[in-house]
Amino acid sequence: QKEVEQDPGPLSVPEGAIVSLNCTYSNSAFQYFMWYRQYSRKGPELLMYTYSSGNKEDGRFTAQVDKSSKYISLFIRDSQPSDSATYLCAMREDSGGSNYKLTFGKGTLLTVNP
Amino acid sequence: KAGVTQTPRYLIKTRGQQVTLSCSPISGHRSVSWYQQTPGQGLQFLFEYFSETQRNKGNFPGRFSGRQFSNSRSEMNVSTLELGDSALYLCASSLRLAWNEQFFGPGTRLTVL
């Protein structure tokens, strides 16, 4: 079983739709959870990160972590064509341990149609 | 503030050759991590350098190596290239070791023929 699973999509939605992106994981030691956005021919850029379980909101983006289910989500409200990109989840253990490297999902390709 | 820069942006090599990729982190950032991105495996961690020392390593063979200089610039070397090494190699810098906020460069696209 892969440590992090992410549906690759592609996901196509109309402008203004609410988008839900998800990842599951198997390593219960993961403590930090991130979402990155990667445009074509660019490096990933960090959107948000959360520590442990709970919700975090930043503008149109909301990140949710459910550690009991080992499930994380990113919601995009009022999606825009400029949100079209590949979204990658990433997670890592606490820096106090020996394995704090980032582990990424394979990414979900999102297209928002005008 | 200038972002992370990587050189070269594109590279074509043949099997058996070796290659060196360069990364200049954001000014003031002391940690540099390297990743390999392929369609099949996604983004995979190679290693992280901080204060000129490798602090963490992913599951890659010894053909993949790196180093960091006193000005935090980093290089990654791949020896005896294989076809499967064709990938986008990304460098990311952060203020500190194991820091959540990493800033990625545009990557170096390596093609091995």
Side-chain angles (χ1 to χ4, degrees), chain B residues 15-34:
Chain B
R15 276 183 303 173
Q17 287 188 308
Q18 77 163 21
V19 67
T20 299
L21 312 181
S22 182
C23 171
S24 293
I26 291 171
S27 177
H29 285 196
R30 296 175 61 194
S31 174
V32 173
S33 298
W34 287 91

Side-chain angles (χ1 to χ4, degrees), chain A residues 16-49:
Chain A
I18 296 175
V19 176
S20 172
L21 303 165
N22 312 293
C23 288
T24 58
Y25 62 95
S26 58
N27 184 352
S28 57
F30 285 142
Q31 296 284 351
Y32 293 93
F33 304 90
M34 297 94 174
W35 286 96
Y36 283 83
R37 176 176 62 196
Q38 186 174 21
Y39 291 114
S40 181
R41 300 186 187 280
K42 301 275 190 183
E45 60 175 320
L46 180 66
L47 282 174
M48 305 175 68
Y49 74 86

Side-chain angles (χ1 to χ4, degrees), chain A residues 23-93:
Chain A
C23 288
T24 58
Y25 62 95
S26 58
N27 184 352
S28 57
F30 285 142
Q31 296 284 351
Y32 293 93
F33 304 90
M34 297 94 174
W35 286 96
Y36 283 83
R37 176 176 62 196
Q38 186 174 21
Y39 291 114
S40 181
R41 300 186 187 280
K42 301 275 190 183
E45 60 175 320
L46 180 66
L47 282 174
M48 305 175 68
Y49 74 86
T50 55
Y51 174 71
S52 199
S53 284
N55 293 2
K56 186 173 184 179
E57 189 174 316
D58 184 1
R60 296 184 296 111
F61 298 89
T62 299
Q64 282 186 354
V65 175
D66 182 350
K67 290 191 71 180
S68 62
S69 303
K70 297 192 179 69
Y71 188 88
I72 70 170
S73 301
L74 178 70
F75 297 95
I76 307 174
R77 291 184 298 281
D78 188 25
S79 55
Q80 302 295 310
S82 58
D83 295 328
S84 298
T86 296
Y87 289 79
L88 301 137
C89 65
M91 43 201 82
R92 70 170 184 85
E93 299 179 16

Side-chain angles (χ1 to χ4, degrees), chain A residues 2 32 34 36 38 41-44 46 49 88 92 95 98-102 104 106, chain B residues 9-10 35 37 40-41 43 45 48 55-56 88 90 97-98 100-102 104-106:
Chain A
K2 276 198 162 292
Y32 293 93
M34 297 94 174
Y36 283 83
Q38 186 174 21
R41 300 186 187 280
K42 301 275 190 183
L46 180 66
Y49 74 86
L88 301 137
R92 70 170 184 85
S95 59
S98 61
N99 182 24
Y100 56 81
K101 66 176 175 64
L102 275 181
F104 283 83
K106 287 191 179 180
Chain B
R9 291 293 311 278
Y10 302 91
Y35 296 85
Q37 188 174 32
Q41 298 299 318
L43 250 170
F45 173 79
E48 180 174 15
R55 302 302 181 110
N56 204 356
L88 180 67
L90 292 156
L97 188 64
N100 286 322
E101 197 162 13
Q102 293 193 4
F104 281 82

Side-chain angles (χ1 to χ4, degrees), chain B residues 19-22 34 46-47 64-66 74-78 89:
Chain B
V19 67
T20 299
L21 312 181
S22 182
W34 287 91
L46 280 156
F47 28 66
F64 292 82
S65 63
S74 177
E75 287 182 347
M76 192 193 91
N77 185 275
V78 188
Y89 289 89

